[in-house]
Amino acid sequence: MLIQESYKDVPTKAGGNMRVFIFHPTIPNYPQAKFPGVVVFSEIYQVTGPVARFARQIAGQGFIVAAPSSYHEFTGPEALAYDGPGTDSGNAWKIEKKLAAYDEDATLSIDLLLSLSTCNGRIGATGMCLGGHLAYRCALDPRVAAAVCYFATDVHSHSLGEGLNDDSLQRARDIKGELIMIFGKKDNHVPPEGRDLIRKTLHEAGVCFSFFEASWAQHAFIRDESSKGRYDPGLTKVCFEMLLELFNRTLRSDLGPRAGGEQEIEDVC
């Protein structure tokens, strides 16, 4: 499936315009095709190459992807580098940003997807690291039918945002959609007792969820760039199939009537 890429700068109450990168699937001869929407939340480095490639993979399967830049209060929409200064800035802003501002970002991203005439009204969410936690919090919105959270940080420790005192686990009962929580057993950002707490809390809250722990995987195992030796393409493929199964089952596409006509093929490399 072909993809059109664009972005929209969305004003926020928290400060600054939030740039939302949009990855939109297209099908020749179906101008009225409708697709589900998926919010993709990034790690602490904003929308980097790996995050954009992840978004394209999802869009290529027939989902409109909106990837917000999380740090609009502090910097521009450009990705941070996978280096010391980039890591330091990302980690600092992660806990300077207000929890309500993270939630506003999620709400505005969902609103943007639902405002598109090509969205069928069904919304999912996913993300990695910080973005895994943000996808979880996005699922607190009843409009979200499904979320896939890759190695979500700070959920077990209640330490997201200003004050290091988020209520993500406390609000687990607000999740009405279906979740997949994915971790590596060798992830030292979320220790075994932290993963156990998340699983136990979701069980007790009656959330519909799957919980997957890969025995040999570390943190950031799906990141295909600067992963410090942790990238596992085979496991990444398995997890992406889990994502597709959930989204294809819970989110629905509507192609609309076929328009007919011939597709003009450009002679380009």
Side-chain angles (χ1 to χ4, degrees):
M1 196 172 295
L2 302 179
I3 304 168
Q4 292 180 342
E5 298 186 27
S6 61
Y7 66 83
K8 184 170 183 179
D9 291 329
V10 180
T12 69
K13 295 178 182 177
N17 288 332
M18 174 178 66
R19 178 158 296 181
V20 182
F21 295 91
I22 300 170
F23 304 82
H24 198 300
T26 63
I27 302 177
N29 298 324
Y30 288 96
Q32 297 180 50
K34 292 182 181 293
F35 306 94
V38 174
V39 185
V40 169
F41 294 97
S42 71
E43 53 194 346
I44 61 169
Y45 303 95
Q46 300 208 104
V47 183
T48 59
V51 174
R53 288 191 286 275
F54 181 55
R56 291 186 192 106
Q57 286 182 312
I58 297 171
Q61 298 296 322
F63 301 91
I64 307 169
V65 174
S69 296
S70 293
Y71 293 146
H72 48 86
E73 301 98 324
F74 310 109
T75 188
E78 298 79 17
L80 302 178
Y82 288 123
D83 59 14
T87 300
D88 290 344
S89 294
N91 279 324
W93 293 333
K94 180 180 72 169
I95 58 175
E96 287 180 35
K97 187 179 176 88
K98 297 180 184 298
L99 192 64
Y102 282 120
D103 293 342
E104 182 193 23
D105 291 351
T107 298
L108 292 174
S109 297
I110 296 171
D111 291 346
L112 174 58
L113 285 168
L114 292 176
S115 74
L116 301 176
S117 62
T118 49
C119 181
N120 73 355
R122 301 287 287 173
I123 301 296
T126 187
M128 60 193 77
C129 192
L130 164 66
H133 193 157
L134 298 182
Y136 175 100
R137 287 196 68 85
C138 191
L140 299 173
D141 189 313
R143 297 176 294 177
V144 175
V148 180
C149 308
Y150 287 85
F151 36 89
T153 54
D154 305 304
V155 177
H156 69 287
S157 56
H158 311 277
S159 54
L160 177 65
E162 185 183 51
L164 302 178
N165 189 30
D166 70 71
D167 59 355
S168 298
L169 283 182
Q170 293 170 261
R171 294 185 58 194
R173 292 186 186 277
D174 292 340
I175 298 174
K176 304 307 179 187
E178 184 173 345
L179 292 184
I180 298 178
M181 305 295 294
I182 298 172
F183 293 99
K185 281 198 170 183
K186 295 186 180 299
D187 186 341
N188 56 7
H189 292 249
V190 188
E193 59 272 21
R195 300 194 296 271
D196 290 344
L197 175 63
I198 294 170
R199 185 191 301 107
K200 180 175 183 290
T201 302
L202 292 175
H203 272 302
E204 293 177 348
V207 177
C208 179
F209 75 100
S210 299
F211 202 99
F212 178 59
E213 293 177 280
S215 62
W216 60 93
Q218 301 179 57
H219 192 70
F221 67 82
I222 71 169
R223 193 171 78 207
D224 64 358
E225 178 183 327
S226 299
S227 71
K228 301 178 176 68
R230 296 172 294 181
Y231 175 52
D232 188 325
L235 180 57
T236 296
K237 181 178 182 295
V238 169
C239 293
F240 192 70
E241 291 297 327
M242 294 168 62
L243 176 149
L244 290 182
E245 189 282 326
L246 177 62
F247 286 171
N248 283 328
R249 176 164 48 79
T250 58
L251 313 176
R252 296 289 181 258
S253 296
D254 179 0
L255 295 180
R258 180 175 170 82
E262 295 296 324
Q263 179 188 8
E264 182 179 347
I265 308 298
E266 295 183 22
D267 185 17
V268 294
C269 294

